[in-house]
């Protein structure tokens, strides 16, 4: 017999679209079998009814032949030869009637009983299991939906426990029902052969017995063929019984092994997070915008395929492309009342998706997997080994600094001359080699062992004893729009006041501040370090851009966290693909003991595009530059006016002296002191 197609019972717990699609094929096959068996049953029932009718008609014929001699015909009723012949025919036909009666009984037992039992018991069992499985699947989907909608801000332990128990019960019911449903469908593949062959075998054997009763010389070839068919049916039956035992044992083992997985958020100590994956698949909730401020969530099956993220809904034959995740960026996000949410942004920044994982384990594994794929590790021969080596190297290279404020307390504004500030916008890929990167290695931009600071510590919460605060770190409440109470703000006279909402991602010291590639490389290292260390929280601040400085202001207390003098901001740029990321390089001088200059790169994420912030910084520097030119021109004009005033005074004095000389000369002339 050919191989038997079977459903994989081991994949019932995952319940992937591929498994559902394969289940649909088996269900279509079951429906086709049911339709065919119904037609075959009707045909065989007609044969059985015809045989019963033939047996009854034959018996009636024999009876009528026997009563021939009792008939009173007007002509020839006393013909003894005819009566004797008819009696002989009646005897033979009576024997044939007995054979037909035996044949009818054999057809009822060997042909109608198996196909009736298969139709009324096995096929109805499939339909019942299908309905039970559909109900269990719907209950599980409803329980998962309620669990996904648990509030993160107003968490109710009683409701959470009830919803979790509901998910456990519904998932267990669905899994067990699905396994038994798969077992029944697999068994059907065997029974459909038996359901067709056994009635035919019974029909032919009944016919052979029928003809043997009439003739012992029935062909032996047909008997041999039927014998072989009977042997095959017995072999299939024995194989079916053995397979049923194996499937029942598999169901029992899977029920025991899968019990901890029924919980939506399993214990992380028993199921550790795999951070070196380059392939992953599972169900995620995707956020879809339905209006300006409203959105809906849709649960779909997501899986990675090379450098692509794919999704597939139930009932679909194949998955569809969501986005290309080569060189993409992935980070955790806070999304309304949903937990375990993360955002994937494509390499060109034009497409992003916010997804929600079911558990913390899946949440971290998805972020690590997408981060590994974005580095194109999957193209290597041993991707998991390379991912483990890269992550280990990153863990050894990245050492967060214990104090962030200590670095800024020693900063002093520099007044040295500075070449024109670099400014760049973004086109192309961050992974592509630019002209600057081809001439300048990454090691010359950022040292591999440079520590990274991931958070901002307010000067109010970390003051060093005996250390004076800078003018921008006095802890005084500051109004970002220049309307402060008390003393006059240092930025009150500034022409430019632009406020942006930003989130601090990290900062690190850099070797060079000549090329925008420094900012790009710092962004890459900080994002990679955040993903490796599972640092997803970000400090939100207000960035105030003025003509004098850049300020990070606490949005709640309006206290200035950090102040960056504008002349010290020597380089600023946006991410080449993700326009929400931007950074700038601050050149500072060391303390009295250390006179060397250092450059620190700060990386932020904004709600608006980073281009706007960079344009604002550029505008502030231009205004400051023109203000400095106007100040110098004004001083020069004042100096020229002072010189002119001095010259005017000298000229007036000279005229007064000449006037005195003229008066004296006239007096002498009038008095006749001069001879005529």
């Amino acid at each position: 017999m050919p191989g038997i197609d079977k459903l994989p019972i081991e994949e019932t717990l995952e319940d992937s679209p591929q498994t559902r699609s394969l289940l649909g094929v088996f269900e279509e096959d079951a429906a086709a079998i049911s339709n065919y068996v119904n037609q075959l049953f009707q045909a065989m029932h007609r044969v059985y009814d015809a045989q019963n009718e033939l047996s009854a008609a034959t018996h009636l014929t024999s009876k009528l032949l026997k009563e021939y001699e009792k008939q009173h015909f007007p002509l020839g009723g006393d013909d003894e030869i005819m009566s004797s012949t008819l009696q002989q025919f009646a005897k033979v036909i009576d024997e044939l009637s007995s054979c037909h009666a035996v044949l009818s009984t054999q057809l009822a037992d060997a042909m109608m009983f198996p196909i009736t039992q298969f139709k009324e018991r096995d096929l109805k069992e499939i339909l019942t299991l299908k309905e039970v499985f559909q109900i269990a699947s719907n209950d599980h989907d409803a329980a998962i939906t309620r669990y996904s909608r648990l509030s993160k801000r107003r968490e109710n332990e009683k409701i959470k426990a009830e919803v979790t128990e509901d998910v456990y019960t519904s998932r267990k019911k669905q899994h067990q029902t699905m396994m038994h449903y798969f077992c029944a469908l697999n068994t059907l593949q065997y029974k459909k052969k038996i359901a067709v062959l056994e009635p035919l075998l019974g029909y032919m054997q009944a016919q052979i017995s029928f003809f043997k009763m009439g003739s012992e010389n029935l062909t032996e070839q047909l008997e041999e063929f039927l014998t072989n068919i009977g042997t095959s049916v017995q072999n299939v039956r024995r194989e079916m019984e053995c397979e049923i035992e194996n499937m029942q044992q598999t169901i029992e083992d899977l029920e025991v092994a899968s019990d901890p997985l029924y919980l939506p958020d399993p214990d992380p100590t028993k199921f550790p997070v795999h951070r070196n994956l380059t392939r992953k698949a599972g169900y995620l909730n995707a956020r879809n915008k339905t209006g300006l401020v409203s959105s809906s969530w849709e649960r779909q099956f997501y899986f990675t395929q090379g450098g692509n993220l794919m999704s597939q809904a139930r009932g679909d034959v194949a998955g569809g492309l969501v986005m290309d995740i080569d060189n993409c960026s992935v980070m955790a996000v806070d999304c309304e009342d949903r937990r375990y949410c993360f955002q994937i942004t494509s390499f060109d920044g034009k497409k992003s998706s916010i997804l929600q994982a079911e558990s913390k384990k899946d949440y971290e594994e998805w972020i690590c997997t997408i981060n590994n794929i974005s580095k194109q590790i999957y193209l290597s021969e041993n991707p998991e080994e390379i991912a483990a080596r890269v992550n280990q190297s990153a863990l050894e290279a990245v050492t967060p600094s214990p104090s962030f404020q200590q670095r800024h307390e020693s900063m002093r504004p520099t007044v040295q001359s500075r070449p024109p500030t670099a400014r760049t916008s973004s086109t192309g890929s961050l992974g592509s080699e630019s002209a600057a990167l081809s001439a300048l290695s990454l090691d010359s931009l950022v040292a591999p062992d440079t520590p990274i600071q991931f958070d901002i510590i307010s000067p109010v919460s970390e003051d060093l004893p005996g250390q004076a605060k800078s003018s921008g770190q006095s802890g005084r409440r500051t109004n970002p729009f220049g309307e402060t109470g008390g003393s006059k703000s240092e930025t009150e006279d500034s022409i430019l006041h632009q406020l942006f909402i930003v989130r601090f991602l990290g900062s690190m010291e850099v070797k060079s501040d000549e090329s925008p590639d420094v900012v790009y490389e710092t962004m890459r290292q900080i994002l990679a370090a955040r993903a490796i260390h599972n640092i997803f929280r970000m400090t939100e601040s207000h960035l105030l851009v003025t003509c004098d400085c850049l300020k990070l202001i606490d949005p709640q207390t309006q206290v200035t966290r950090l102040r960056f003098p504008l002349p010290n901001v020597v380089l600023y740029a946006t991410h080449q693909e993700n326009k929400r990321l931007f950074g700038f390089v601050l050149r500072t001088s060391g303390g009295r003991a250390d006179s060397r200059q250092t450059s620190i790169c700060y990386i932020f994420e904004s709600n608006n595009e980073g281009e706007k912030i960079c344009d604002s910084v550029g505008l502030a520097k231009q205004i400051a530059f023109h203000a400095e030119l106007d100040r110098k021109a004004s001083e020069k004009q004042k100096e020229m006016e002072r010189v002119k005033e001095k010259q005017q005074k000298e000229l007036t004095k000279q005229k007064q002296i000449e006037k005195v000389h003229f008066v004296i000369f006239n007096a002498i002339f009038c008095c006749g002191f001069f001879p005529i």
Side-chain angles (χ1 to χ4, degrees):
M1 299 294 292
I4 304 298
D5 296 323
K6 292 179 290 185
L7 283 167
I9 300 179
E10 296 81 3
E11 298 180 6
T12 52
L13 180 58
E14 183 182 7
D15 191 19
S16 65
Q18 289 82 359
T19 306
R20 286 293 183 102
S21 179
L22 185 59
L23 174 61
V25 176
F26 274 73
E27 288 177 342
E28 292 179 2
D29 183 73
I33 292 172
S34 178
N35 184 38
Y36 177 79
V37 168
N38 287 332
Q39 297 179 8
L40 185 62
F41 174 81
Q42 294 177 0
M44 290 185 174
H45 201 278
R46 289 182 62 184
V47 172
Y48 175 67
D49 291 341
Q51 183 59 44
N52 287 336
E53 181 65 21
L54 179 61
S55 176
T58 305
H59 179 69
L60 180 59
T61 301
S62 174
K63 183 179 179 181
L64 291 175
L65 291 177
K66 290 179 181 179
E67 293 177 354
Y68 180 82
E69 61 182 4
K70 298 179 182 180
Q71 299 298 322
H72 300 284
F73 297 104
L75 299 174
D78 295 332
D79 191 353
E80 295 181 355
I81 298 174
M82 184 64 179
S83 297
S84 175
T85 304
L86 291 178
Q87 288 295 325
Q88 188 66 31
F89 277 106
K91 183 178 180 181
V92 175
I93 293 176
D94 191 43
E95 292 178 356
L96 291 176
S97 175
S98 300
C99 293
H100 282 294
V102 173
L103 178 58
S104 297
T105 303
Q106 290 180 346
L107 289 179
D109 295 337
M111 183 180 72
M112 295 307 301
F113 177 75
I115 195 169
T116 303
Q117 191 178 33
F118 176 74
K119 177 177 176 291
E120 298 295 331
R121 185 186 67 181
D122 298 327
L123 293 181
K124 284 188 177 181
E125 180 185 6
I126 294 294
L127 294 177
T128 303
L129 287 175
K130 181 179 180 180
E131 294 177 358
V132 173
F133 166 69
Q134 190 64 42
I135 294 173
S137 179
N138 294 336
D139 292 342
H140 176 251
D141 291 342
I144 284 295
T145 302
R146 290 194 297 272
Y147 179 81
S148 300
R149 293 175 178 172
L150 283 176
S151 175
K152 185 176 74 173
R153 298 177 183 174
R154 297 177 297 177
E155 187 167 332
N156 190 321
E157 294 297 329
K158 182 178 179 181
I159 296 177
K160 181 179 179 181
E162 292 176 356
V163 174
T164 303
E165 181 65 21
D166 192 14
V167 172
Y168 172 85
T169 304
S170 61
R171 182 170 289 178
K172 183 175 182 180
K173 181 180 178 181
Q174 179 192 1
H175 185 209
Q176 294 177 350
T177 305
M178 195 173 186
M179 288 191 296
H180 289 288
Y181 185 34
F182 277 27
C183 178
L185 288 175
N186 291 342
T187 306
L188 182 64
Q189 299 302 311
Y190 294 93
K191 289 184 176 181
K192 71 179 182 179
K193 301 179 182 297
I194 298 173
V196 174
L197 295 178
E198 265 192 346
L200 294 177
L201 180 63
Y203 173 78
M204 297 306 298
Q205 287 178 343
Q207 293 292 342
I208 288 176
S209 299
F210 171 76
F211 288 110
K212 276 187 176 181
M213 285 186 291
S215 175
E216 296 295 333
N217 298 323
L218 198 62
T219 58
E220 297 180 358
Q221 294 180 353
L222 183 59
E223 291 183 0
E224 184 179 357
F225 171 74
L226 296 178
T227 301
N228 294 334
I229 295 297
T231 303
S232 299
V233 169
Q234 293 301 322
N235 292 335
V236 172
R237 182 178 293 278
R238 284 194 294 268
E239 184 180 351
M240 179 193 69
E241 293 173 354
C242 181
E243 187 64 26
I244 289 176
E245 293 179 0
N246 294 335
M247 288 190 293
Q248 293 294 342
Q249 184 63 39
T250 302
I251 290 174
E252 294 177 3
D253 296 341
L254 288 176
E255 286 180 352
V256 175
S258 303
D259 189 74
L261 299 177
Y262 294 142
L263 292 172
D265 200 351
D267 188 359
T269 59
K270 297 181 180 179
F271 302 93
V273 178
H274 299 286
R275 306 187 183 278
N276 305 324
L277 300 176
T278 55
R279 292 185 300 172
K280 187 165 178 62
Y283 280 97
L284 296 173
N285 291 329
R287 188 177 75 171
N288 299 319
K289 289 187 177 181
T290 57
L292 294 177
V293 295
S294 60
S295 61
S296 63
W297 295 84
E298 182 180 4
R299 188 168 184 259
Q300 286 190 341
F301 188 83
Y302 284 79
F303 59 95
T304 60
Q305 191 175 72
N308 298 322
L309 180 65
M310 314 288 288
S311 69
Q312 186 174 358
R314 286 183 180 176
D316 292 347
V317 179
L321 177 64
V322 177
M323 70 169 63
D324 182 4
I325 54 178
D326 279 341
N327 298 321
C328 74
S329 61
V330 56
M331 63 179 65
V333 293
D334 288 332
C335 201
E336 292 91 23
D337 292 335
R338 297 266 177 161
R339 305 179 301 168
Y340 309 138
C341 294
F342 58 95
Q343 178 175 334
I344 307 172
T345 305
S346 61
F347 70 95
D348 55 2
K350 296 181 179 179
K351 189 173 184 180
S352 64
S353 295
I354 295 180
L355 304 172
Q356 179 196 18
E358 184 176 289
S359 64
K360 185 177 181 181
K361 176 178 179 293
D362 285 344
Y363 162 76
E364 296 183 5
E365 285 186 353
W366 272 107
I367 291 178
C368 294
T369 302
I370 294 174
N371 187 50
N372 292 335
I373 294 175
S374 68
K375 300 174 184 176
Q376 298 183 351
I377 297 177
Y378 66 93
L379 297 176
S380 58
E381 294 183 357
N382 299 315
E384 292 193 3
E385 295 181 5
I386 295 178
R389 189 161 61 249
V390 170
N391 291 335
Q392 183 64 28
S393 300
L395 284 172
E396 295 173 355
V398 179
T399 306
S401 175
S403 176
F404 180 73
Q405 183 63 23
Q406 186 176 0
R407 178 189 305 170
H408 297 283
E409 293 294 339
S410 61
M411 291 183 181
R412 297 293 183 270
T414 59
V415 295
Q416 298 180 0
S417 61
R418 174 70 189 144
T421 303
R423 174 72 178 90
T424 181
S425 60
S426 58
T427 53
S429 172
L430 185 62
S432 63
E433 296 185 355
S434 63
L437 281 179
S438 62
L440 193 63
S441 65
L442 295 179
D443 291 339
S444 65
L445 299 177
V446 180
D449 56 350
T450 302
I452 298 176
Q453 180 63 43
F454 296 107
D455 200 1
I456 294 178
I457 302 176
S458 175
V460 177
S461 63
E462 188 180 347
D463 287 336
L464 299 179
Q467 189 176 23
K469 298 177 183 179
S470 62
S471 61
Q473 296 174 343
S474 61
R476 181 174 55 85
R477 187 179 299 274
T478 303
N479 191 324
F481 299 99
E483 301 173 359
T484 58
S487 61
K488 187 176 181 179
S489 173
E490 64 178 352
T491 59
E492 185 174 349
D493 295 332
S494 177
I495 300 175
L496 181 67
H497 288 82
Q498 289 192 351
L499 193 68
F500 302 94
I501 299 176
V502 298
R503 288 169 293 279
F504 181 71
L505 294 178
S507 65
M508 60 190 298
E509 184 176 339
V510 295
K511 291 184 176 181
S512 171
D513 54 13
E514 302 291 338
S515 170
D517 296 316
V518 175
V519 181
Y520 304 153
E521 177 62 17
T522 305
M523 289 178 180
R524 189 191 66 80
Q525 290 202 21
I526 288 177
L527 290 176
R530 278 182 166 270
I532 292 171
H533 288 286
N534 293 324
I535 301 174
F536 305 122
R537 296 186 60 185
M538 295 180 286
T539 302
E540 185 170 281
S541 304
H542 290 168
L543 177 65
L544 178 63
V545 181
T546 68
C547 298
D548 300 323
C549 63
L550 306 180
K551 283 187 178 182
L552 284 180
I553 301 173
D554 189 287
Q556 301 296 329
T557 63
Q558 297 299 309
V559 172
T560 300
R561 288 173 170 167
L562 289 176
R563 179 182 180 276
F564 308 101
L566 191 62
N568 292 12
V569 179
V570 296
L571 181 67
Y572 50 94
T574 59
H575 195 284
Q576 288 182 315
E577 290 86 22
N578 189 354
K579 300 299 184 180
R580 297 174 62 185
L581 299 179
F582 76 98
F584 60 84
V585 178
L586 187 74
R587 177 179 290 182
T588 63
S589 61
R592 297 178 180 177
D594 187 7
S595 60
R596 71 180 183 89
Q597 288 187 340
T598 59
S599 298
I600 302 175
C601 185
Y602 298 84
I603 304 301
F604 297 87
E605 180 192 42
S606 65
N607 290 340
N608 301 322
E609 292 187 356
E611 287 281 350
K612 296 180 180 179
I613 301 179
C614 290
D615 290 341
S616 180
V617 175
L619 178 61
K621 294 185 76 68
Q622 290 180 8
I623 293 174
F625 177 72
H626 288 294
E628 182 67 17
L629 291 181
D630 293 342
R631 185 186 63 81
K632 291 182 179 180
S634 178
E635 291 179 355
K636 186 176 181 181
Q637 182 68 24
K638 290 180 180 180
E639 182 67 23
M640 292 176 63
E641 289 179 355
R642 285 195 297 269
V643 172
K644 187 176 181 180
E645 184 179 356
K646 184 177 180 181
Q647 291 177 353
Q648 188 68 27
K649 288 181 179 181
E650 291 291 337
L651 182 61
T652 304
K653 185 178 180 180
Q654 184 67 26
K655 288 182 177 181
Q656 290 177 353
I657 294 174
E658 290 179 355
K659 185 177 181 181
V660 171
H661 287 171
F662 179 75
V663 172
I664 295 174
F665 176 77
N666 287 337
I668 294 173
F669 180 78
C670 292
C671 293
F673 289 141
F674 292 95
I676 302 174

